[in-house]
Amino acid sequence: MYETVLLPTDGSDVAASSVEHAVDAATREDAVVHLLYVVDESVANAAPGLAMGEVNQELRDEGERALAELADELEAAGVETETALREGGPDEEILGYIDEFDVDLVVMGSTGKTVTERDRVGSVTDTLVRKAQVPVLSVPGE
């Protein structure tokens, strides 16, 4: 049923809480888990007084760290993984990734951002649940 599972992450604890569900789905179906971190360009644009390039580099570094940690965790669980780091709007980049790699299931945390951030930029999970053409498993944070 599932050959490709997408596990987007923003590096938050809530995003990490969805790992166990992705591992379960991948193990049951012998699927590959794609880990995706999107450098949210709106964050860099909203950082007053800082050079956009510096902020983008910090976000890329954070993304690479988050992807490496998750890949290590999934590989230790015996799950084949692929990693990708993209830049842009998280909603659009994740939806594009789903199409590009024929993703069968998306597993993600439901509240990686604070309430203020969610109000300002919108909930990525909410958007994916409405717009993705594949099942989206929304895992609530603890």
Side-chain angles (χ1 to χ4, degrees), residues 100 139 141:
E100 184 178 341
V139 180

Side-chain angles (χ1 to χ4, degrees), residues 19-98:
V19 169
E20 144 184 1
H21 295 277
V23 167
D24 183 59
T27 301
R28 289 175 189 249
E29 302 291 333
D30 195 29
V32 176
V33 175
H34 287 238
L35 304 170
L36 174 63
Y37 184 98
V38 178
V39 174
D40 187 347
E41 291 179 340
S42 70
V43 172
N45 293 336
L50 297 175
M52 251 191 316
E54 291 176 25
V55 174
N56 276 339
Q57 186 58 53
E58 286 182 29
L59 292 172
R60 278 192 295 276
D61 292 345
E62 177 185 325
E64 289 171 3
R65 178 199 49 76
L67 289 170
E69 287 176 7
L70 285 176
D72 288 347
E73 186 175 346
L74 269 70
E75 289 169 3
V79 175
E80 183 181 347
T81 63
E82 299 285 335
T83 62
L85 188 137
R86 300 220 169 152
E87 294 185 27
D91 305 356
E92 298 84 15
E93 292 298 326
I94 295 169
L95 288 168
Y97 195 95
I98 291 168

Side-chain angles (χ1 to χ4, degrees), residues 99-111:
D99 290 340
E100 184 178 341
F101 289 93
D102 295 322
V103 169
D104 302 305
L105 173 68
V106 179
V107 179
M108 61 191 303
S110 61
T111 54

